[in-house]
Amino acid sequence: MPKKKYSVAVVGATGAVGVEFLRCLKDRRFPISEIRLLASARSRGKKVDFKGKKVTVQELTENSFEGVEIAFFSAGGSISKKFAPLAARAGAVVVDNSSAFRMDPTVPLVIPEINPEALAAHKGIIANPNCSTIIGITPLWPIHKKNRIRRLIAATYQAAS
C-alpha cells in the first residue's frame, strides 16, 4: 500500500532553522506531495534546493495555506501569532518552533521523546520548547521518572555577530 504524502509548508524557509527543517524532511524521507517554502518579501523568488529540485520561495501571506496539511513555523513569535491560527483554520496542523504558543494552556507543548500523547490534544497548533530545553530535558527525563527533579536552572549563551 502506498504511503500517504502530505502537502507541507515551511514558514521561515530561508532562515537557519527553516533550512534545517528542510534537511530533516529530506533526510528522514518524509512523504511530501508538495513543498511550499514561505518567507518574507525579501526572500520572495529565491530558489532553494530541495531533494535535487529548485523550489521557489513564496512570500508569506494570509492566503498561503490553502491546501497545506502540515506547516512548520520558524519565523519568530510575532509571525507565528499572526499566521499560525490562519494556517490552522485553513486545515493545516502547525508545528510552531517560536515562543508564541509555548505558555498557551490550549496548545500542547510537545517533546516527542517525552510526551507524544500530548499531540492528541492539539486544536491545529503544536508548540515545541526551545532547542536548548529539548536537548537538556530529553536525557533528564528517565532520571526524573525514577527520582523526581523538582527544579532545574539552566543558562544558555548564544553567539551573536
Side-chain angles (χ1 to χ4, degrees):
M1 175 182 266
K3 195 179 217 182
K4 177 172 174 29
K5 293 186 175 187
Y6 299 91
S7 173
V8 175
V10 176
V11 176
T14 57
V17 176
V19 169
E20 187 64 18
F21 276 150
L22 293 171
R23 188 188 66 73
C24 288
L25 290 167
K26 181 180 86 79
D27 289 353
R28 292 172 183 248
R29 295 185 176 105
F30 191 83
I32 297 174
S33 60
E34 173 200 7
I35 188 82
R36 200 172 299 177
L37 307 183
L38 303 169
S40 69
R42 251 184 0 259
S43 295
R44 181 183 53 224
K46 182 178 177 181
K47 303 281 187 197
V48 174
D49 184 60
F50 182 70
K51 293 175 144 179
K53 296 180 182 170
K54 295 289 184 191
V55 181
T56 303
V57 175
Q58 300 172 33
E59 181 177 356
L60 174 64
T61 70
E62 293 178 359
N63 300 312
S64 292
F65 302 99
E66 189 65 38
V68 170
E69 295 169 276
I70 302 170
F72 294 99
F73 272 67
S74 188
S78 62
I79 297 296
S80 289
K81 282 184 181 179
K82 178 177 179 179
F83 290 98
L86 296 172
R89 277 196 292 277
V93 174
V94 173
V95 179
D96 183 49
N97 197 45
S98 78
S99 61
F101 301 101
R102 288 181 184 150
M103 300 303 287
D104 185 328
T106 67
V107 175
L109 183 65
V110 178
I111 300 174
E113 296 81 3
I114 294 174
N115 65 336
E117 70 284 350
L119 289 171
H122 84 79
K123 296 177 180 114
I125 301 173
I126 300 162
N128 68 285
N130 172 282
C131 55
S132 59
T133 302
I134 293 171
I135 291 168
I137 289 178
T138 300
L140 291 174
W141 181 243
I143 297 167
H144 174 74
K145 290 191 320 188
K146 296 273 187 202
N147 188 19
R148 183 168 158 72
I149 298 171
R150 289 189 189 93
R151 187 165 110 172
L152 175 67
I153 299 171
T156 64
Y157 303 91
Q158 297 182 12
S161 60

